């Protein structure tokens, strides 16, 4: 995602398509929430849209 934005692409982040497990400091749900928040609040000139899978398959 960061690479795409850096290369001037607009991005759609699929918020329920993360692939990770619990880590020692945080569980997977907390990590997903953190990254979705970071991407939603990233300061950039590019478009970053966050959407669930079901929103994109309509």
């Amino acid at each position: 995602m960061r690479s795409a934005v850096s290369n001037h692409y607009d991005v759609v982040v699929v918020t329920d398509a993360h692939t990770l497990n619990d880590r020692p400091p945080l569980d997977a749900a907390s990590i997903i929430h953190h990254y979705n928040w970071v991407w939603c609040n990233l300061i950039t000139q590019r478009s970053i849209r966050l959407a669930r899978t079901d929103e994109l398959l309509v």
Side-chain angles (χ1 to χ4, degrees):
M1 200 286 302
R2 293 182 306 181
S3 178
V5 170
S6 294
N7 286 293
H8 309 289
Y9 289 99
D10 294 326
V11 177
V12 176
V13 175
V14 184
T15 60
D16 58 349
H18 295 267
T19 56
L20 57 95
N21 294 318
D22 294 346
R23 304 284 169 100
L26 294 171
D27 62 15
S30 296
I31 297 168
I32 290 168
H33 176 76
H34 167 77
Y35 276 105
N36 288 340
W37 182 89
V38 168
W39 293 331
C40 186
N41 292 287
L42 191 65
I43 298 171
T44 179
Q45 298 293 323
R46 305 310 309 172
S47 170
I48 301 173
R49 176 181 171 208
L50 277 68
R52 294 183 321 270
T53 302
D54 63 337
E55 294 175 284
L56 299 172
L57 295 177
V58 175

